[in-house]
Amino acid sequence: MSKDDEDKKDTNGNIKLATKPKTKTPPLYRVLMMNDDYTPMEFVIEVLEKFFQKNREEATQIMLHVHQRGVGVCGIYAYDLAETKAMQVMNYARKYEHPLQVQLEKE
């Protein structure tokens, strides 16, 4: 028996089976935008284009959804990316003195 064959056996002489590492898909989070009566619609569209890579039409549809229903989904991401985008949006809104709010929700 070769050295390689011996390495493939456990202490009882049973053959070890190759195991694949189990990878788990990270949970996803929705970035939700909340409606307010003060943030201009054009600013919301700009945010959606700049931070969520939406084209003008998609951004306008999301903005109208938020305006009419009070909340809308900007995107769905892994937690770290969702949190980063939410913080970027909040910082950008504060820079221009808008009360725009975004939240994360586990999918």
Side-chain angles (χ1 to χ4, degrees), residues 20-32:
K20 293 181 182 177
K22 295 179 182 178
T23 56
K24 194 175 184 181
T25 306
L28 297 176
Y29 289 79
R30 290 182 194 96
V31 179
L32 303 175

Side-chain angles (χ1 to χ4, degrees), residues 30-36 41 44-45 48 57-74:
R30 290 182 194 96
V31 179
L32 303 175
M33 184 176 288
M34 308 301 155
N35 187 42
D36 65 68
M41 292 179 178
V44 172
I45 291 171
L48 291 164
E57 185 178 326
E58 287 177 302
T60 301
Q61 290 300 317
I62 293 169
M63 178 275 298
L64 289 172
H65 183 88
V66 170
H67 180 69
Q68 294 166 352
R69 304 211 174 139
V71 65
V73 178
C74 301

